[in-house]
Amino acid sequence: IPSTNQVLLGRETPKHYGITSPISLAQAKEADLVLTHRLTEALKPYGVFEEELELQRRIHVLGKLNTLVKEWIRDVSETKNLPASVIETVGGKIFTFGSYRLGVHTKGADIDALCVAPRHVERTDFFSSFLDKLKEQEEVKDLRAVEEAFVPVIKLSFDSIEIDILFARLALQTIPENLDLRDDGLLKNLDIRCIRSLNGCRVTDEILHLVPNIENFRLTLRTIKLWAKRHNIYSNILGFLGGVSWAMLVARTCQLYPNAVASTLVHKFFLVFSKWEWPNPVLLKQPEDCNLNLPVWDPRVTPSDRYHLMPIITPAYPQQNSTYNVSASTRAVMVDEFKQGLSITDEILQSKAEWAKLFEAPNFFQKYKHYIVLLASAPTEKQHLEWVGLVESKIRILVGNLEKNEFITLAHVNPQSFPGPKESREKEEVSTMWVIGVIFKKMEASENLNVDLTIDIQSFTDTVYRQAMNSKMFEADMKIQAMHVKRRQLHQLLPNLVMPKRHMSFHYMSEEIPASEGEVKMEADIKVSMHSFYLSVCLCLISLCLISLCLISLSVLSLSLSYLSLFLSLSLSLCFTHSLTHNSCLKSVQIIFYMVCISTLVCLLLVLQPNYNIIILLFPQRMVSADLSDVPLLPANPIPVVKNSIKLRLSR
């Protein structure tokens, strides 16, 4: 944990940061320092600060890894017959980036690392001889290479610390210890995969170079990252923001308020970005052209860049938009969260609330009336891991399809995934669920809305199946299923995760009465209880009459009479059985009253069904199968694709 002085004390910095002048150069006041200290204390229970012992273990592991890299590069140099003088000075180094390099990693977080090698070391060497060297290490577990990825990587666990290692081969004969990766000249004559691998380090180093006070930046970023995760808006792959994007937004806030401490910066963060006029881009520095002919984000040149909804541009060349996955829905959700964050931090600064309120997680499963539940399943654990990764990477396509539907105003995917239910106990399968909240457009009076989401779902599933087949990942029984679920039905799929149903609770007058006042209070309590008793009986009778009328209107006269007599006799018998104890009597009547009210509502819904008809047609395992004869079978090759049909008829 950074020291108090480092965290709390802002310092005036005459240097100009960012592409505009600061909004305020105000120095921190005593109240700001107190609020920042309280913020630090509020963060501790969430495990955002790593203990010193764990931090030293990470440094030790990275030191070992750095030594392994140097040894490996010397071995490769010898096999390629380099002169002995060169071999001794050839170098090689491990750089870190991401949350660890920024100094905001949490307990148990992984480390993003980059292996930088001189020009005579090939990428094939990294994925062969270096991989073999790692296999020889006792501390290394779960070693796997992903050579065909967009950014090739070796993943491993080193002494129980998860590490992702990228590779970059520079056009240098030796790698000096003081190498600065921010030097744009290093990108000349490099393979595109090496440029992508270098990008993480270059962006991280630029961010740290472009903020006025690193400690204030770090504490603010820890706060914002925790807030974003608690509010389910932390996921680049699903169309929200990833770690580097949040870091750049916080860095921009620091530039605008260079002398502010963390408590002020958190408030200003919400102030600035709740009012930001998107799609105006967020820039930490003016883009520079290094004449290396690499593609950079520029809507004046690249037409596709004009459609980015929430551009946050990386500060290192080649500048890229880190938020190209953001959709209209995810942007709307994030802006709404920014506004709520501003409201809460206003209260905190006015001493009307504590910092803990900012980290209260909203209940996503109570927020919307309608949800689309997506289920990805595969026969084995290994197949499931690959399948889930592919499906998750494409969910934003489904969100985009739903957004384009004329009847949908918002599609909000929850970044959390959940274990899915099994189709049958006999069949071995592993499944994962995602939940998407959907808001349908408001209907005019007496207007019915017919919504067919079949094509939206089918287009998404076809895309996933095609990619799985093209990459030769697809296996039999890999499935994607979708269903429409109402809020009140979610507990059937997520029994332990949705807010539990409210249990009926009854409050009675205390039976513990002081002896000196016992008789007087007893008489008063009996009178109040008896009045409540008579009122409850009357309400029960009225409810029973309504039930009878409802059933008569359905032409079920005999059933109505029997239903009436049954509940009437039950209520009377229970009431008079407990008449000696007024509290028990009242309790019995209240229970009956609630039961009757529920029954009344059910009957009313039966009567009004023709005017309030909601039809949901889903896949066979859950509900009645829809006729999908008009939906083409895709892909063309015959594979067991699950047809998903969701057709809704919504009334006002």
Side-chain angles (χ1 to χ4, degrees):
I1 304 172
S3 68
T4 305
N5 289 336
Q6 285 177 313
V7 172
L8 298 183
L9 296 178
R11 57 185 177 83
E12 189 171 359
T13 47
K15 180 181 175 181
H16 180 70
Y17 290 89
I19 62 171
T20 62
S21 300
I23 293 175
S24 171
L25 291 172
Q27 294 286 345
K29 299 177 182 176
E30 185 63 31
D32 301 327
L33 303 180
V34 171
L35 276 172
T36 301
H37 178 70
R38 289 179 185 169
L39 174 59
T40 305
E41 294 301 311
L43 289 171
K44 287 179 181 178
Y46 295 97
V48 299
F49 298 114
E50 193 171 48
E51 295 176 0
E52 184 63 28
L53 190 63
E54 182 68 18
L55 185 59
Q56 291 302 321
R57 193 161 72 93
R58 287 179 185 270
I59 294 171
H60 180 65
V61 165
L62 286 170
K64 280 187 175 181
L65 198 57
N66 199 51
T67 302
L68 284 175
V69 166
K70 292 181 185 297
E71 290 175 359
W72 164 66
I73 291 177
R74 278 200 297 269
D75 293 343
V76 172
S77 303
E78 288 176 359
T79 60
K80 297 191 177 182
N81 299 319
L82 265 68
S85 58
V86 174
I87 292 174
E88 288 302 316
T89 60
V90 72
K93 192 174 179 182
I94 284 284
F95 291 85
T96 60
F97 62 99
S99 62
Y100 180 79
R101 175 71 180 94
L102 288 172
V104 295
H105 62 286
T106 57
K107 290 180 181 177
D110 61 356
I111 298 177
D112 296 309
L114 170 70
C115 171
V116 174
R119 62 191 177 198
H120 62 272
V121 179
E122 304 284 343
R123 183 173 293 273
T124 51
D125 297 323
F126 178 72
F127 283 101
S128 55
S129 56
F130 184 63
L131 195 66
D132 293 337
K133 193 171 187 67
L134 289 172
K135 289 177 183 176
E136 297 169 1
Q137 310 305 311
E138 291 182 1
E139 304 98 327
V140 173
K141 309 289 182 188
D142 303 326
L143 181 65
R144 56 203 184 277
V146 190
E147 195 170 355
E148 300 305 318
F150 184 72
V151 181
V153 61
I154 289 178
K155 294 175 174 284
L156 69 148
S157 173
F158 199 114
D159 195 16
S160 301
I161 295 175
E162 298 290 329
I163 304 178
D164 292 351
I165 310 177
L166 310 183
F167 175 79
R169 169 194 179 217
L170 302 184
L172 301 174
Q173 186 176 9
T174 61
I175 304 298
E177 280 297 312
N178 61 348
L179 180 66
D180 184 0
L181 294 180
R182 291 190 300 127
D183 181 4
D184 295 329
L186 295 175
L187 303 181
K188 291 180 180 178
N189 304 316
L190 285 197
D191 174 74
I192 187 63
R193 289 173 297 179
C194 291
I195 292 174
R196 289 177 192 149
S197 298
L198 284 165
N199 191 53
C201 285
R202 287 168 52 79
V203 168
T204 305
D205 288 351
E206 280 287 359
I207 290 172
L208 291 173
H209 185 71
L210 291 168
V211 294
N213 184 299
I214 290 177
E215 294 305 328
N216 289 333
F217 162 75
R218 283 174 173 161
L219 186 56
T220 307
L221 181 55
R222 286 184 189 276
T223 305
I224 295 303
K225 287 181 69 170
L226 175 62
W227 166 82
K229 289 174 182 176
R230 298 282 293 170
H231 286 252
N232 289 316
I233 54 172
Y234 191 105
S235 175
N236 180 57
I237 198 169
L238 291 176
F240 295 103
L241 304 190
V244 69
S245 300
W246 291 116
M248 287 189 284
L249 292 188
V250 171
R252 186 70 186 114
T253 308
C254 293
Q255 290 178 341
L256 294 172
Y257 300 89
N259 299 318
V261 291
S263 58
T264 305
L265 289 169
V266 170
H267 176 250
K268 298 302 184 184
F269 172 89
F270 292 118
L271 176 65
V272 169
F273 294 109
S274 63
K275 300 180 184 300
W276 194 272
E277 294 182 358
W278 306 104
N280 286 330
V282 174
L283 295 163
L284 297 182
K285 60 183 281 191
Q286 286 292 353
E288 299 172 356
D289 189 359
C290 297
N291 298 317
L292 296 178
N293 295 320
L294 295 174
V296 298
W297 185 86
D298 190 343
R300 298 168 301 178
V301 176
T302 311
S304 60
D305 291 346
R306 299 168 195 167
Y307 298 100
H308 292 175
L309 300 177
M310 199 174 181
I312 302 172
I313 311 305
T314 56
Y317 179 84
Q319 294 84 7
Q320 301 294 320
N321 177 21
S322 65
T323 58
Y324 58 87
N325 285 342
V326 170
S327 68
S329 288
T330 52
R331 185 179 73 176
V333 169
M334 286 188 283
V335 170
D336 184 59
E337 290 290 353
F338 290 151
K339 291 176 180 176
Q340 291 184 36
L342 176 61
S343 176
I344 293 170
T345 49
D346 278 338
E347 292 180 15
I348 293 169
L349 266 58
Q350 295 168 19
S351 300
K352 295 179 181 178
E354 297 297 328
W355 284 109
K357 186 175 181 180
L358 186 65
F359 308 122
E360 289 176 0
N363 193 332
F364 175 82
F365 305 107
Q366 295 292 324
K367 191 172 183 179
Y368 303 103
K369 291 182 180 179
H370 301 274
Y371 295 87
I372 301 294
V373 174
L374 198 64
L375 188 69
S377 56
T380 66
E381 185 68 44
K382 184 184 178 189
Q383 291 175 354
H384 177 252
L385 277 173
E386 295 179 339
W387 183 234
V388 162
L390 175 62
V391 173
E392 186 177 44
S393 70
K394 301 300 177 186
I395 289 178
R396 57 192 172 84
I397 295 176
L398 173 58
V399 172
N401 292 346
L402 294 173
E403 287 176 348
K404 292 172 187 173
N405 191 299
E406 59 178 321
F407 300 115
I408 292 177
T409 57
L410 186 83
H412 178 188
V413 58
N414 187 347
Q416 289 179 290
S417 60
F418 308 97
K422 288 187 177 181
E423 289 185 21
S424 63
R425 293 181 181 178
E426 296 80 16
K427 194 174 182 181
E428 286 293 327
E429 97 174 346
V430 190
S431 61
T432 297
M433 284 193 306
W434 295 269
V435 184
I436 304 171
V438 179
I439 297 179
F440 292 97
K441 77 169 190 178
K442 292 183 179 179
M443 294 164 283
E444 300 297 330
S446 72
E447 178 190 356
N448 287 331
L449 194 62
N450 293 307
V451 182
D452 188 352
L453 305 181
T454 305
I455 295 176
D456 302 328
I457 301 290
Q458 195 71 37
S459 172
F460 159 71
T461 55
D462 292 342
T463 301
V464 178
Y465 281 121
R466 279 202 182 96
Q467 181 152 336
M469 293 181 71
N470 291 339
S471 62
K472 299 180 181 178
M473 179 204 297
F474 185 81
E475 299 286 346
D477 294 325
M478 283 183 171
K479 292 183 292 186
I480 311 173
Q481 298 170 324
M483 66 183 114
H484 167 267
V485 179
K486 287 191 170 182
R487 179 168 52 202
R488 64 174 180 268
Q489 299 168 320
L490 275 175
H491 71 276
Q492 298 171 10
L493 295 172
L494 304 165
N496 299 321
L497 299 165
V498 182
M499 286 180 66
K501 291 183 176 180
R502 293 180 181 177
H503 295 288
M504 294 183 294
S505 58
F506 306 99
H507 302 280
Y508 312 108
M509 299 190 177
S510 174
E511 295 179 1
E512 297 178 4
I513 303 173
S516 59
E517 303 175 5
E519 292 182 1
V520 177
K521 287 187 177 289
M522 181 70 76
E523 289 180 6
D525 289 351
I526 289 175
K527 286 181 181 179
V528 173
S529 296
M530 291 309 293
H531 283 307
S532 300
F533 167 72
Y534 292 134
L535 179 60
S536 299
V537 170
C538 291
L539 290 172
C540 283
L541 291 173
I542 293 170
S543 300
L544 289 169
C545 291
L546 286 172
I547 291 173
S548 298
L549 289 173
C550 292
L551 292 173
I552 290 169
S553 67
L554 290 171
S555 302
V556 193
L557 182 58
S558 59
L559 181 60
S560 68
L561 292 174
S562 61
Y563 193 66
L564 176 60
S565 60
L566 173 65
F567 271 93
L568 192 56
S569 60
L570 179 62
S571 61
L572 290 174
S573 62
L574 285 172
C575 290
F576 287 110
T577 300
H578 299 286
S579 59
L580 293 177
T581 55
H582 62 280
N583 281 340
S584 299
C585 176
L586 179 59
K587 179 179 178 180
S588 301
V589 174
Q590 284 178 322
I591 292 173
I592 296 167
F593 173 63
Y594 283 118
M595 289 172 60
V596 170
C597 285
I598 292 169
S599 303
T600 304
L601 290 173
V602 171
C603 292
L604 285 171
L605 286 174
L606 288 171
V607 174
L608 299 175
Q609 189 183 19
N611 297 321
Y612 188 81
N613 188 21
I614 299 183
I615 303 169
I616 305 170
L617 300 173
L618 303 170
F619 51 84
Q621 289 85 343
R622 295 283 168 194
M623 295 187 183
V624 181
S625 176
D627 179 12
L628 292 179
S629 56
D630 58 331
V631 179
L633 273 175
L634 292 172
N637 296 336
I639 60 173
V641 178
V642 176
K643 298 178 182 178
N644 295 274
S645 176
I646 297 182
K647 297 181 181 179
L648 313 175
R649 184 166 181 263
L650 306 176
S651 58
R652 193 171 185 272

